Amino acid sequence: MKTLFERSVKGRSCAILPELDVPACLPERTRKQALRLPELSETDISRHYTELAGQTFGVNDGFYPLGSCTMKYNPKINEQTAALEGFADVHPLQDNVQGCLEVLATAEKYLCEITGMDAMTFQPAAGAHGELTGLMLIKRYHELHGNTARNKIIVPDSAHGTNPASSAMCGFTVVNIPSAEDGCVDLAKLREACGEDTAGLMLTNPNTLGIFDKHIREITDIVHEAGGLCYYDGANLNAVMGIARPGDMGFDCIHLNLHKSFSTPHGGGGPGSGPVGCKSFLAPYLPGKKVVCEDGRYAWQDRGPESIGAVRSFHGNFLVVIKAFTYLLSLGREGVPAVAQNAVLNANYLKHLLEGTYEVTNKGVCMHEFVLTLEREKKEIGVSAMDIAKALQDYDMHPPTMYFPLNVHEALMVEPTETESKETLDAAAAAFLEIYAKAKADPEAMHHTPYNSPITRPDEVKAARHPVLRYQFDD
Amino acid sequence: MGGYIPSTVLQQEEMLKEAGFSSMKDLYRDVPEALKLQKELNLPKGMSELETARTMRRLAGKNKVYDSVFRGAGAYRHYIPAIVKSVVNKEEFVTAYTPYQAEISQGVLQSIFEYQTMICELTGMDVANASVYDGAVAAAEAISMCRTPKKKKVFVSAGIHPDTLKVIRTYSWAASEEVVVLPLKDGLTDLSGLDSEASCVYVQQPNYYGVIEDLKDIAEKAHALGLQVIAGMEPFAMCLLETPAECGVDIAVGEGQPLGMPLSFGGPYLGFMAATTKMMRKLPGRIVGETEDTEGRRAFVLTLQAREQHIRREKASSNICSNEALCAMTAAVYLAAMGPEGMKNAASQCYAKAHYLAAELEKSGLKRCFEADFFNEFVTECADPEGLLARLDEKGILGGLPVENGILWCATELNSKEEIDALVKEVSA
């Protein structure tokens, strides 16, 4: 379809602003470079984006079992409350914001209760931003305790790519440790890796294979005994919220993905929100200001000289916090564990329906997600995880996460979430099984999937070798 | 009350049985008993949708929404055309994931490609990324693009937004990099302290106090010392003033909030980043590129991924994963609705209204602190800022922000002459 620039007609415009009602004036030196924005009517714009929406697959379009991404349904009431003028039209540097401060203080209280932490900041704007912030707390802690040699962060090979990348940004050296046979942390390898240079450990529990690490207390103890701190990547909190708390597992700080566990939409790649929680001994290092309450009046308070400073301007992605807070109010104390239980139930049910046809890496109980490996099929009939994923697009569903975690070959990572019904899961399982049968019968045809999408598979090599990153004008 | 769980209790029981579990509790057989929460969460009982809506409306009602706003300082109230919200509220855009599956994500991918093009047009630069969290983080990320193992020092102007300075300090501290602040002289960045030992210099245009810096001169002097130049740009100012590209800047970044995003108590906002082709492979985050599908049709994909965390892990150019895609789309729809003439007009109106406001305030005794020209913000002296702002507050006017020695005022196209005159009348009272 055409781009906005190809739809542009010289001289066309929307009538948005009134005429200038004060004397005109101009600065001394002005822009000479052309400003080639598209010239369009409102009809053009409306139809353009309606067409683009038709080539976009959202949670409202169908099943979205993207492992590690927790693509649950995004309740509409959350959008409505975040759009309230009393939240959306408030300046970040104004007074008279008791409502905003009350939301921040209460959301902090609820999320600390759910995670077993003592304090929280909402400044980080996404999960990876939260990771960086959490690692900065660890860095500050060691710095203020004279532990200058503690510059290594231990990361298991099953971790999200953001974990090592955040560690590097925070000036740490990354120590990758291989997982044990069962996909969990190899305690012997962890003991070997821990030492006087250990700053901390980053861990996701349940891990990216969907397994709850039974030895979690032992793991955090090993790190603590070596003098390191433990960071909990909250990407998979949906499996255990209301059931078990990172704070009770021995973690010192965590980040949450409000755009995963707490139902705020992903927006095609953000905005998210990645609040960071910590135990009280790390609280003075948190960035940004904190909200305090005295005699029912809320106020901002500086965190003091030990704070790491700021990781974003103002108070973070506030309207995303509004959405998550609305969701928390809807769930309440009984809803939070019900979400986790049903997320785990749906994953185990779907896993059960696929087992026997597909190879599942986790033979036992899984948590909120599980991983399939197409290693055998790739070897025997040449059908890859990518082929299966692309084929699923023709069944009105979004494919699972592909080629992750890295410690599984030809991986497909499936996370159904709790907001899908038994009927949806049954239909998805039927699609998976039908595709498998087709792959066996005609492997060659699988390489050309999908057949019904707006485009066939794009040439990614060409895109990277000859980058065209903006519209090219003729003139 | 509800968890948006569609399966009925009966269905849940069927599924448990089918998958070989005796109960919900049985699903957690791998979680050590000692780690399980032995009590109910200390949260209120879940609410119905109606109760939630009422509670949230009550909370929103505790915040004051001003009829008339003369405060900017990094967050600007502009008029938002109706088409903007209508487009970005489309469920497909709101609820989609990052477009990894290109075949069913052409809509999001093309919208980012169009956004990248518009950011290139605004800044005049060669390439742009798909966005980062906000303007402050964009500045910090741009500084890390310039970092080399040998040069672990950066210069920043004292005229940048205080939050941006804080964020830069925090990121640089984590990377063991020294931040040297260049002082202001008559409201403009004083370059006399520059040396060749740093990797780059970061300035803001117009600066925090509204003053228009001589960006061309800054770039020339910095380049002569071998420093890269990063400019934090206000998006409307770029439509009127010389572009960062015209001034010779290497990386142009900024806060995109003025482009169609409401004030939102500080977020979500939009960090935009654009650079010369030379710096392209150092850009952080998502970048969309054009290619072809197997039938030769135009297609868009996430590209240059060898820079990114999911491929390169600890060697990535940044850790960023989720960015601000829907805010980038907001900016693109806003720019499409305004068009080139609309943007130039809005920018001229911001400039003219701020100058009218400054002249009127001066007549009422509030003299500007700096002589140099300004864009849509300026600082005036004020003997009793608190008293004045309190009086304005009573009239539903959010006055400028108190800063050292005075008040930082802002005007945009949204402030009518009538509003400005009403403000000035209160100031004179």
Side-chain angles (χ1 to χ4, degrees):
Chain A
M1 62 174 279
K2 283 183 174 176
T3 62
L4 279 173
F5 307 96
E6 290 155 338
R7 287 179 186 262
S8 176
V9 176
K10 197 161 173 43
R12 194 173 279 174
S13 68
C14 304
I16 307 289
L17 297 184
E19 277 179 25
L20 184 63
D21 55 0
V22 299
C25 54
L26 283 173
E28 202 176 305
R29 275 154 54 182
T30 54
R31 173 178 180 136
K32 300 288 176 290
Q33 213 171 349
L35 180 60
R36 295 170 296 183
L37 294 174
E39 299 179 68
L40 301 161
S41 67
E42 191 172 316
T43 324
D44 297 330
I45 299 170
S46 172
R47 291 198 180 140
H48 177 76
Y49 283 100
T50 298
E51 203 176 336
L52 287 186
Q55 300 192 5
T56 301
F57 195 90
V59 173
N60 68 306
D61 287 300
F63 188 39
Y64 225 111
L66 256 181
S68 229
C69 303
T70 315
M71 293 297 281
K72 61 172 75 176
Y73 178 74
N74 313 121
K76 302 309 161 198
I77 185 69
N78 302 355
E79 301 303 308
Q80 201 172 302
T81 57
L84 287 168
E85 205 187 31
F87 295 126
D89 207 9
V90 174
H91 196 286
L93 298 174
Q94 75 171 63
D95 294 330
N96 303 315
V97 287
Q98 285 299 304
C100 294
L101 298 184
E102 187 174 337
V103 168
L104 289 173
T106 315
E108 176 175 357
K109 197 167 90 185
Y110 292 176
L111 291 172
C112 281
E113 169 69 10
I114 290 169
T115 56
M117 294 288 144
D118 300 318
M120 193 165 278
T121 173
F122 290 101
Q123 228 182 26
H129 204 204
E131 290 177 21
L132 178 62
T133 306
L135 289 164
M136 284 172 170
L137 302 183
I138 293 175
K139 191 180 178 84
R140 182 64 115 213
Y141 170 84
H142 289 309
E143 186 181 86
L144 293 176
H145 287 77
N147 305 332
T148 45
R150 295 197 178 272
N151 58 3
K152 294 204 168 92
I153 293 285
I154 301 168
V155 179
D157 60 1
S158 60
H160 301 110
T162 49
N163 286 186
S166 301
S167 303
M169 264 181 100
C170 201
F172 289 118
T173 305
V174 178
V175 181
N176 289 297
I177 55 165
S179 302
E181 196 104 314
D182 62 359
C184 292
V185 172
D186 186 325
L187 295 178
K189 291 263 171 16
L190 177 65
R191 278 198 191 92
E192 258 170 55
C194 277
E196 288 183 354
D197 56 1
T198 302
L201 165 79
M202 291 186 93
L203 201 65
T204 310
N205 191 34
N207 65 20
T208 53
L209 290 170
I211 304 170
F212 188 95
D213 205 316
K214 285 181 197 172
H215 303 114
I216 190 64
R217 265 311 327 200
E218 230 173 315
I219 293 166
T220 53
D221 283 347
I222 291 170
V223 176
H224 283 148
E225 275 160 28
L229 298 184
C230 297
Y231 181 89
Y232 181 89
D233 178 329
N236 294 345
L237 188 77
N238 209 46
V240 294
M241 57 185 193
I243 307 290
R245 311 193 300 177
D248 301 335
M249 300 174 202
F251 288 95
D252 304 296
C253 57
I254 62 158
H255 85 260
L256 301 175
N257 299 77
L258 298 187
H259 47 292
K260 292 182 182 179
S261 327
F262 297 97
S263 85
T264 75
H266 202 277
S273 175
V276 166
C278 65
K279 294 286 182 147
S280 55
F281 75 100
L282 292 174
Y285 316 143
L286 285 171
K289 291 176 179 172
K290 67 173 170 185
V291 182
V292 291
C293 184
E294 260 178 56
D295 305 328
R297 291 286 300 172
Y298 293 89
W300 287 119
Q301 194 180 74
D302 280 332
R303 291 191 194 269
E306 291 181 338
S307 162
I308 58 165
V311 294
R312 190 194 174 282
S313 61
F314 306 122
H315 328 301
N317 281 347
F318 177 72
L319 294 187
V320 180
V321 180
I322 291 287
K323 295 178 193 185
F325 183 67
T326 306
Y327 179 66
L328 278 171
L329 289 182
S330 306
L331 293 189
R333 57 179 175 252
E334 71 284 16
V336 174
V339 160
Q341 287 165 346
N342 280 279
V344 173
L345 171 60
N346 279 359
N348 277 287
Y349 179 69
L350 185 57
K351 172 171 165 278
H352 169 75
L353 297 180
L354 300 185
E355 258 166 353
T357 304
Y358 287 86
E359 167 107 23
V360 181
T361 62
N362 177 357
K363 308 291 178 230
V365 190
C366 70
M367 288 285 105
H368 63 303
E369 66 190 2
F370 58 90
V371 178
L372 308 176
T373 169
L374 277 296
E375 194 177 5
R376 190 183 62 210
E377 290 75 9
K378 172 85 178 164
K379 224 174 266 166
E380 289 173 3
I381 55 172
V383 171
S384 66
M386 162 101 80
D387 293 333
I388 302 289
K390 299 297 177 193
L392 284 165
Q393 292 182 6
D394 286 335
Y395 288 79
D396 295 326
M397 60 183 270
H398 194 284
T401 299
M402 311 183 297
Y403 299 97
F404 188 79
L406 303 180
N407 53 339
V408 177
H409 295 291
E410 296 295 327
L412 284 179
M413 190 189 208
V414 187
E415 179 181 9
T417 85
E418 76 284 359
T419 59
E420 300 300 336
S421 64
K422 179 174 182 293
E423 297 92 295
T424 303
L425 301 177
D426 287 338
F432 266 100
L433 300 186
E434 193 176 309
I435 289 167
Y436 196 87
K438 278 188 186 169
K440 283 276 182 181
D442 186 1
E444 171 54 26
M446 296 303 286
H447 305 323
H448 306 292
T449 55
Y451 287 95
N452 304 325
S453 295
I455 59 160
T456 57
R457 295 189 199 185
D459 187 346
E460 298 196 11
V461 175
K462 183 183 174 197
R465 290 222 177 117
H466 308 284
V468 179
L469 310 180
R470 53 159 298 161
Y471 177 72
Q472 310 288 317
F473 290 97
D474 290 334
D475 52 49
Chain B
M1 203 166 183
Y4 302 93
I5 296 161
S7 294
T8 62
V9 174
L10 198 64
Q11 284 180 314
Q12 292 170 23
E13 279 164 10
E14 270 175 58
M15 289 157 76
L16 279 169
K17 200 171 155 206
E18 170 84 30
F21 296 92
S22 59
S23 64
M24 285 289 194
K25 198 165 177 278
D26 193 22
L27 291 166
Y28 290 95
R29 58 172 86 130
D30 280 358
V31 179
E33 255 340 282
L35 285 182
K36 285 186 191 159
L37 201 56
Q38 303 299 337
K39 54 153 198 161
E40 213 172 30
L41 288 169
N42 183 19
L43 256 61
K45 196 174 163 303
M47 292 178 183
S48 64
E49 181 172 322
L50 176 57
E51 291 167 298
T52 305
R54 270 187 196 141
T55 305
M56 294 308 289
R57 209 175 311 126
R58 183 182 56 79
L59 285 165
K62 291 184 182 182
N63 302 316
K64 185 160 177 175
V65 176
Y66 291 87
D67 299 331
S68 157
V69 174
F70 291 93
R71 185 170 293 188
Y76 302 91
R77 188 148 87 160
H78 289 274
Y79 178 72
I80 301 173
I83 185 72
V84 175
K85 281 181 190 163
S86 149
V87 166
V88 300
N89 284 343
K90 285 182 191 289
E91 276 186 295
E92 295 87 343
F93 297 142
V94 172
T95 68
Y97 193 70
T98 300
Y100 285 129
Q101 294 287 341
E103 299 85 355
I104 50 171
S105 308
Q106 285 299 296
V108 169
L109 287 162
Q110 183 172 328
S111 82
I112 298 171
F113 183 80
E114 291 168 351
Y115 161 82
Q116 287 173 186
T117 307
M118 291 185 193
I119 292 300
C120 289
E121 283 300 315
L122 279 182
T123 56
M125 306 296 288
D126 303 326
V127 290
N129 73 1
S131 80
V132 296
Y133 313 129
D134 74 342
V137 171
E141 287 276 9
I143 287 173
S144 38
M145 284 170 69
C146 300
R147 197 171 294 142
T148 67
K150 279 184 190 163
K151 291 188 166 184
K152 289 206 134 189
K153 175 169 124 177
V154 298
F155 286 110
V156 301
S157 162
I160 70 173
H161 193 286
D163 278 11
T164 307
L165 180 57
K166 272 191 207 158
V167 172
I168 290 174
R169 280 194 195 280
T170 302
Y171 273 63
S172 290
W173 159 75
S176 304
E177 178 178 63
E178 186 193 356
V179 177
V180 180
V181 177
L182 300 167
L184 294 185
K185 200 174 159 190
D186 305 324
L188 293 161
T189 306
D190 178 0
L191 301 172
S192 58
L194 277 188
D195 64 46
S196 60
E197 278 158 33
S199 61
C200 61
V201 57
Y202 175 73
V203 295
Q204 186 180 313
Q205 174 79 318
N207 71 25
Y208 180 64
Y209 302 102
V211 176
I212 301 171
E213 299 265 8
D214 190 345
L215 195 52
K216 207 174 244 172
D217 181 58
I218 293 171
E220 271 169 24
K221 291 197 168 113
H223 282 153
L225 289 166
L227 308 184
Q228 307 256 41
V229 179
I230 309 166
M233 304 294 302
E234 200 287 326
F236 286 91
M238 286 191 283
C239 301
L240 186 63
L241 309 178
E242 288 164 314
T243 64
E246 284 172 325
C247 295
V249 160
D250 299 288
I251 308 172
V253 299
E255 177 52 68
Q257 175 272 328
L259 302 173
M261 278 143 267
L263 293 170
S264 316
F265 198 50
Y269 285 0
L270 166 72
F272 65 83
M273 297 187 78
T276 54
T277 306
K278 209 176 131 197
M279 302 293 283
M280 176 176 76
R281 285 172 202 275
K282 292 197 164 179
L283 278 168
R286 314 292 185 199
I287 296 178
V288 171
E290 185 186 311
T291 185
E292 286 176 350
D293 74 356
T294 56
E295 316 262 296
R297 288 173 294 200
R298 178 163 64 189
F300 298 98
V301 290
L302 292 172
T303 194
L304 304 182
Q305 296 191 64
R307 302 163 296 114
E308 291 191 72
Q309 48 78 25
H310 60 285
I311 309 286
R312 290 294 293 281
R313 299 175 78 85
E314 59 265 36
K315 293 189 179 67
S317 61
S318 166
N319 68 339
I320 191 167
C321 184
S322 289
N323 46 92
E324 305 286 307
L326 200 60
C327 299
M329 182 184 278
T330 306
V333 183
Y334 178 84
L335 289 166
M338 296 297 281
E341 293 313 313
M343 281 306 289
K344 285 183 218 164
N345 178 25
S348 311
Q349 292 212 14
C350 289
Y351 182 85
K353 292 192 181 220
H355 283 70
Y356 176 72
L357 171 64
E360 294 299 306
L361 285 177
E362 183 147 4
K363 284 182 205 162
S364 314
L366 298 189
K367 202 175 159 300
R368 273 202 304 127
C369 295
F370 307 114
E371 221 170 88
D373 197 16
F374 55 97
F375 177 61
N376 66 343
E377 288 184 278
F378 56 91
V379 183
T380 66
E381 295 167 353
C382 181
D384 175 22
E386 277 179 24
L388 173 60
L389 293 170
R391 270 195 290 127
L392 295 175
D393 196 282
E394 278 170 29
K395 301 278 173 187
I397 301 171
L398 181 62
L401 185 74
V403 290
E404 60 276 33
N405 311 324
I407 294 182
L408 175 62
W409 300 94
C410 173
T412 71
E413 84 291 344
L414 203 52
N415 301 110
S416 64
K417 178 173 182 296
E418 203 180 328
E419 252 181 55
I420 297 173
D421 292 342
L423 165 76
V424 173
K425 199 176 144 204
E426 280 306 317
V427 171
S428 322

